[in-house]
Amino acid sequence: MVLEYKLLIDGESKDSSTGETFDDINPATLENLATVQVAGKEDVDRAVESAEEGLRVWSEVPAPRRAEVLFRAARILQERKEDLAVLMTEEMGKVLPETRGDVQEAIDITNYAAGEGRRMFGETTTSELKDKFCMTMLRPIGVVGMITPWNFPIAIPSWKIMPALIAGNAIVFKPSSDTPLLAIKLVEILMEAGLPPGVVNIVPGPGGSVGKAIVQHPRIKAISFTGSLETGKWIMGECAKTIKRVSLELGGKNPVIVMDDADLELALEGVLWGAFGTTGQRCTATSRLILHEKIKDEFISRLLAKTKSLRVGNGLLPETDIGPVINKAQLEKIERYVRIGKEEGATLLCGGNAIDPGLPGYFFEPTIFTDVTPDMRIAQEEIFGPVLSIIMVSGLEEAIEVANNTRYGLSSAIYTESIGNAFRAIKKIEAGITYVNAPTIGAEVHLPFGGVKGTGNGFREAGTEAIKEFTEVKAVYVDYSGRLQKAQIDTE
Ligand code: NAP
């Protein structure tokens, strides 16, 4: 029997006002894992009320005590890591080693954020006046709306939820309709760990209705969004109307530069993992290989051989390298871009087709285009699938120019044995992340994560930056002189 999941409001499973449900489909087998109730606008109102009540309680809990809840949650996540990983592979398709990594990332950020509970540092400084003390302190923002995609169904919600919680906020959370179960499991674990009712509320359903109601809600003080550039632009515009803080983590068109002095075997492994890991469905996926022309013949022939040996199939099987893409619309989008690439004059080196590995789901061959020029659409637009475009260059300056020639700026990488090349690339590539001799994927939770240009609006997740995303800074002046002192006026 298929289980039905409801909304999570005020610490309880609640029926939605719409009476509608949607199916949670396994993209490999097309089995229905669960049905989930669709929240309506009035459910979002209920969730906000519940969060406001949760906020009153939670914001009064000292941060080191909040941390205890998070540490317990991290332990429970650890105990259930394998079950959650299997469920994740069933829900969104990526292979088991990667879904284990996704849960591990959630464990890591939960422990990390908990540690920040004893580091909610402000600053102290001198006053320009006598007998006066100055400091800053961090305060929670209030009720925060969170909207997340499906490709990291536990890690991305955790990057947002854990720092927001340690800072004392309450949350209304809309997960992707492709991965509601993992979101529900995560919040259930937080509640089992002792999170008071109402502090995190889940309202599942489509972005166009539920997401929109969250973004436009007058009593939600901030939005933390991860998803596509198009949705992010719309959200930013809406948030302007109510002067909401909005942090955006959007798409990428991430380049790997391989120089003629690179360790070729290392670079090959990195490009393969960066381009085809998570079936190319990472915001940090390597979608452009910027290759020095001197090594093109050898590099491309070795890359082709390795790509052809990748096995596409059910992510639960140990022999599978690449799982399915998330849904039919995404499969069709990839097919469309393959057609565009051919029409633009790029050469299809391998792949390019949907395949049937003996399952009815949405599988696509790892695909490589060569003869790609920097302005082609396949070199500019995010495809979000296992498609790599190879662009040839004759030197580092040109490579960096090509790397910077997109609207995105999330991750980037250079393979070179020259320290000069490495540091020139670090300095000049327009991106939030640059790897040297490592692929564009593989962020660690204690470093800031995010991008420039069309990838984001200046915020960073993870690391200590995450606390800034979810706090307001207050300046405090304590005058113990016993008389009225006037800043800028009492200058004698
Ligand atoms: P998406 O279509 O923008 O959806 C992301 C989330 O926004 C989903 O929960 C979606 O709901 C919701 N949504 C859609 N329209 C909305 C609206 N008008 N108002 C409010 N919410 C709305 O992106 P996606 O296809 O799920 O995810 C892939 C994208 O995410 C890629 O561009 C990828 O690069 C990006 N991404 C970025 C990062 C990063 O950290 N920079 C990390 C991972 C992914 P429903 O889908 O449920 O309708």
Side-chain angles (χ1 to χ4, degrees), residues 430-471:
E430 296 163 357
I433 305 166
T434 296
Y435 292 89
V436 177
N437 293 330
T440 53
I441 65 180
E444 300 178 32
V445 303
H446 53 297
L447 275 86
F449 182 92
V452 302
K453 303 196 288 190
T455 294
N457 62 338
F459 283 92
R460 292 289 182 274
E461 297 201 313
T464 49
E465 294 292 314
I467 302 297
K468 293 185 192 158
E469 185 183 351
F470 296 109
T471 49

Side-chain angles (χ1 to χ4, degrees), residues 147-151 156 174-177 205-207 211-212 225-228 231 234-235 249-251 283 382 384 410 449:
I147 301 173
T148 55
W150 45 266
N151 61 340
I156 290 179
K174 190 209 91 63
S176 164
S177 303
K212 183 175 172 193
F225 172 76
T226 300
S228 63
T231 312
W234 180 82
I235 289 178
E249 294 293 337
L250 309 175
C283 51
E382 191 183 41
F384 223 56
L410 181 50
F449 182 92

Side-chain angles (χ1 to χ4, degrees), residues 7-10 14-18 39-54 56 143 171-173 198 201-203 209-220 244:
L7 322 186
L8 194 70
I9 295 178
D10 199 20
K14 297 259 167 75
D15 278 315
S16 90
S17 62
T18 65
K41 195 164 179 293
E42 65 187 73
D43 300 315
V44 172
D45 288 340
R46 284 198 293 160
V48 172
E49 272 165 35
S50 158
E52 286 174 338
E53 196 46 46
R56 267 188 279 282
V143 175
I171 295 160
V172 176
F173 170 30
N201 305 272
I202 304 190
V203 278
S209 56
V210 186
K212 183 175 172 193
I214 292 174
V215 169
Q216 295 180 333
H217 203 287
R219 302 212 306 272
I220 289 182
K244 269 191 190 68

Side-chain angles (χ1 to χ4, degrees), residues 133-150:
F133 180 82
C134 305
M135 63 181 171
T136 63
M137 59 183 280
L138 300 177
R139 303 180 71 241
I141 299 172
V143 175
V144 179
M146 295 182 177
I147 301 173
T148 55
W150 45 266

Side-chain angles (χ1 to χ4, degrees), residues 153-168:
I154 272 206
I156 290 179
S158 298
W159 286 2
K160 296 182 187 303
I161 290 174
M162 304 311 171
L165 286 182
I166 201 68

Side-chain angles (χ1 to χ4, degrees), residues 3 49 149 240 308 417 444:
L3 284 179
E49 272 165 35
K308 284 190 167 165
E417 293 295 290
E444 300 178 32

